[in-house]
Amino acid sequence: MKIVEYPHPTLRHQSKPLKKIDADLRRTVAEMFHLMYEAEGIGLAANQVDLPYRLFVLNLSEERTQEDEMVFINPVISRGKEPDEKEEGCLSIPGVYASVRRPTSIHVSALDLRGHPIEADCRGLLARAIQHETDHLDGILFIDRLVETTQKEVQDDLDRFKRKFQQDREEKNIPPDDTILRRLEEIESTYCR
Ligand code: NI
């Protein structure tokens, strides 16, 4: 398992809700935390490791302690009205940072890894991280939410990622889009509603 980079097609996949949580899924989640720590990120969505599961992991603590690990399965969020603008980055577009406007507060409903319901009102970094990760599950990246002037500032970087992906596809035999999609659909048929 590894973190895929923009413009990998799985990053544009809209995940369907998970219908079962089993030992394999728990192992996948443990590996996602591992990859996230290795990359020094605070959040990671399943699309980012080329999986169609509607789940993401977060750990906002400096110490990366296990007690601070959060898993959100099938998250549904309702957004507050008060907007806020802060810089964001993404492990799938490493090195690119830009200011993104999002509501300061949200309410999130989800399941944890034991299948227990989560209901939480969140603000600040937690609210922002949950919105960023839930976007991933809908195939949306933070670069889609930039104002036009900021979008222009990151365009060269994004073009560089596109060229690198093309080159990787040729050299490392990354399968064509439809093969990637078929694999996602196969996993979905077992795990998703
Ligand atoms: Ni991200």
PDB file of all heavy atoms in Angstrom, residues 48 89-91 132-133 136, ligand 1:
ATOM      1  N   GLN A  48      -6.638   7.986  -1.067  1.00  0.00           N
ATOM      2  CA  GLN A  48      -5.224   8.343  -1.183  1.00  0.00           C
ATOM      3  C   GLN A  48      -4.310   7.126  -1.132  1.00  0.00           C
ATOM      4  O   GLN A  48      -3.117   7.244  -1.408  1.00  0.00           O
ATOM      5  CB  GLN A  48      -4.847   9.343  -0.086  1.00  0.00           C
ATOM      6  CG  GLN A  48      -5.562  10.673  -0.233  1.00  0.00           C
ATOM      7  CD  GLN A  48      -5.106  11.654   0.835  1.00  0.00           C
ATOM      8  OE1 GLN A  48      -5.658  11.677   1.930  1.00  0.00           O
ATOM      9  NE2 GLN A  48      -4.090  12.432   0.527  1.00  0.00           N
ATOM     10  N   GLY A  89      -2.543  21.719   2.860  1.00  0.00           N
ATOM     11  CA  GLY A  89      -1.701  20.913   1.982  1.00  0.00           C
ATOM     12  C   GLY A  89      -2.336  19.541   1.911  1.00  0.00           C
ATOM     13  O   GLY A  89      -3.369  19.293   2.530  1.00  0.00           O
ATOM     14  N   CYS A  90      -1.721  18.641   1.150  1.00  0.00           N
ATOM     15  CA  CYS A  90      -2.313  17.313   0.981  1.00  0.00           C
ATOM     16  C   CYS A  90      -1.198  16.322   0.659  1.00  0.00           C
ATOM     17  O   CYS A  90      -0.335  16.618  -0.169  1.00  0.00           O
ATOM     18  CB  CYS A  90      -3.323  17.361  -0.160  1.00  0.00           C
ATOM     19  SG  CYS A  90      -4.144  15.795  -0.451  1.00  0.00           S
ATOM     20  N   LEU A  91      -1.238  15.156   1.292  1.00  0.00           N
ATOM     21  CA  LEU A  91      -0.179  14.160   1.063  1.00  0.00           C
ATOM     22  C   LEU A  91      -0.180  13.644  -0.375  1.00  0.00           C
ATOM     23  O   LEU A  91       0.806  13.075  -0.820  1.00  0.00           O
ATOM     24  CB  LEU A  91      -0.321  12.990   2.048  1.00  0.00           C
ATOM     25  CG  LEU A  91      -0.095  13.341   3.526  1.00  0.00           C
ATOM     26  CD1 LEU A  91      -0.257  12.102   4.388  1.00  0.00           C
ATOM     27  CD2 LEU A  91       1.274  13.971   3.748  1.00  0.00           C
ATOM     28  N   HIS A 132     -11.685  18.568   4.712  1.00  0.00           N
ATOM     29  CA  HIS A 132     -10.696  18.225   3.678  1.00  0.00           C
ATOM     30  C   HIS A 132     -10.771  16.728   3.356  1.00  0.00           C
ATOM     31  O   HIS A 132     -10.792  16.328   2.186  1.00  0.00           O
ATOM     32  CB  HIS A 132      -9.299  18.621   4.186  1.00  0.00           C
ATOM     33  CG  HIS A 132      -8.163  18.262   3.281  1.00  0.00           C
ATOM     34  ND1 HIS A 132      -7.362  19.205   2.670  1.00  0.00           N
ATOM     35  CD2 HIS A 132      -7.685  17.047   2.880  1.00  0.00           C
ATOM     36  CE1 HIS A 132      -6.448  18.586   1.926  1.00  0.00           C
ATOM     37  NE2 HIS A 132      -6.613  17.279   2.042  1.00  0.00           N
ATOM     38  N   GLU A 133     -10.835  15.905   4.406  1.00  0.00           N
ATOM     39  CA  GLU A 133     -10.826  14.444   4.200  1.00  0.00           C
ATOM     40  C   GLU A 133     -12.155  13.951   3.620  1.00  0.00           C
ATOM     41  O   GLU A 133     -12.170  13.058   2.774  1.00  0.00           O
ATOM     42  CB  GLU A 133     -10.499  13.714   5.505  1.00  0.00           C
ATOM     43  CG  GLU A 133      -9.137  14.055   6.117  1.00  0.00           C
ATOM     44  CD  GLU A 133      -7.965  13.913   5.159  1.00  0.00           C
ATOM     45  OE1 GLU A 133      -8.024  13.081   4.236  1.00  0.00           O
ATOM     46  OE2 GLU A 133      -6.978  14.663   5.321  1.00  0.00           O
ATOM     47  N   HIS A 136     -12.157  14.382   0.014  1.00  0.00           N
ATOM     48  CA  HIS A 136     -11.436  13.307  -0.684  1.00  0.00           C
ATOM     49  C   HIS A 136     -12.382  12.166  -1.048  1.00  0.00           C
ATOM     50  O   HIS A 136     -12.311  11.615  -2.140  1.00  0.00           O
ATOM     51  CB  HIS A 136     -10.334  12.732   0.213  1.00  0.00           C
ATOM     52  CG  HIS A 136      -9.009  13.436   0.092  1.00  0.00           C
ATOM     53  ND1 HIS A 136      -8.343  13.524  -1.100  1.00  0.00           N
ATOM     54  CD2 HIS A 136      -8.227  14.056   1.006  1.00  0.00           C
ATOM     55  CE1 HIS A 136      -7.200  14.186  -0.914  1.00  0.00           C
ATOM     56  NE2 HIS A 136      -7.100  14.525   0.355  1.00  0.00           N
TER      57      HIS A 136
HETATM   58 NI    NI B   1      -5.577  15.579   1.322  1.00  0.00          NI
END
